[in-house]
Amino acid sequence: MRILTPTKPLFGFFLSLFGFLSFLSAQGQAPKWENPEWENPEIFQINREAPTASFYRYETAQNALKNDSWENSPFYQSLNGDWLFNYAENIMARPVDFQDTTFDASSWNTIPVPSNWELEGHGTPIYTNVVYPFPKNPPFIPHDKNPVGSYKRDFEVSDDWDGNTIYLHFGGVSGAMYVWVNGQKVGYSEGSKTPAEFDITKYIQAGKKFTCRTGASLVRCKLYGRSRFLASKRY
């Protein structure tokens, strides 16, 4: 997470970020998902920031020059570490009402971020070259063979970020994710090897903490092994 130019006041807050493949039903089993974004070749992002080169700010040029790493900037906060995690074999089995701020994830296990689901004991890693692990019917994907990972983490942001634009940065997510902040849908992103950033400033609630939830799943077949992950850095 990083900040940029001043725009609006910011205090301590609570974030609820959900990266997931869908909204949830009020029942234990989610309903059939009609016309999802991840089956539409014309949609690969919603409300995602345009790609940019990575530059990180310090208060002064002198402070920037005397620091060895941009991670020492007071305008940067890493979200790497242990997150609460839920694994579902398919989208129908995903957690109910996951995007709600009142959703209780206290019974979930934890998973390190960044990491691969399969290497942490969730699902089966597959290495394949030309053979698809599911029937080819583009752009459609079998809903019963599309695992979903749900993540959650709480964190606070310094009061010193008051009046700045705040961006949430994903270094790499395979292969599609939705993002909610404080129960409000922020956006959607595809592109498992490219960073994704979202401006979350207007979703912040002053005086509270953040609950950060994210995840991804979109079965794809490429030359490298098939696995789903929150890879690279999260901030």
Side-chain angles (χ1 to χ4, degrees), residues 148-160:
V148 175
S150 306
Y151 295 72
K152 177 182 182 290
R153 177 175 173 176
D154 300 347
F155 60 93
E156 295 183 2
V157 170
S158 172
D159 292 345
D160 294 337

Side-chain angles (χ1 to χ4, degrees), residues 91-228:
I91 64 173
M92 291 81 74
R94 64 193 186 270
V96 176
D97 297 327
F98 175 67
Q99 75 278 10
D100 290 351
T101 56
T102 57
F103 184 88
D104 182 11
S106 60
S107 63
W108 290 7
N109 295 320
T110 61
I111 192 171
V113 173
S115 67
N116 289 73
W117 301 356
E118 288 83 356
L119 299 184
E120 297 296 329
H122 305 283
T124 303
I126 299 174
Y127 181 86
T128 183
N129 186 357
V130 296
V131 179
Y132 273 69
F134 55 87
K136 291 179 288 184
N137 185 27
F140 304 106
I141 299 168
H143 290 203
D144 61 341
K145 297 179 181 179
N146 194 8
V148 175
S150 306
Y151 295 72
K152 177 182 182 290
R153 177 175 173 176
D154 300 347
F155 60 93
E156 295 183 2
V157 170
S158 172
D159 292 345
D160 294 337
W161 288 18
D162 180 16
N164 292 280
T165 302
I166 299 178
Y167 293 95
L168 186 64
H169 177 102
F170 296 85
V173 179
S174 176
M177 68 172 177
Y178 291 88
V179 178
W180 286 265
V181 173
N182 289 326
Q184 301 181 71
K185 188 175 181 180
V186 175
Y188 169 81
S189 179
E190 296 177 16
S192 58
K193 298 299 182 182
T194 56
E197 287 192 334
F198 298 92
D199 180 354
I200 61 172
T201 312
K202 69 179 182 180
Y203 302 99
I204 292 167
Q205 296 180 2
K208 295 185 178 181
K209 296 179 181 178
F210 266 149
T211 301
C212 188
R213 307 189 185 190
T214 188
S217 178
L218 176 58
V219 178
R220 294 185 178 184
C221 183
K222 296 185 180 180
L223 181 59
Y224 54 82
R226 191 203 81 188
S227 62
R228 281 156 290 275

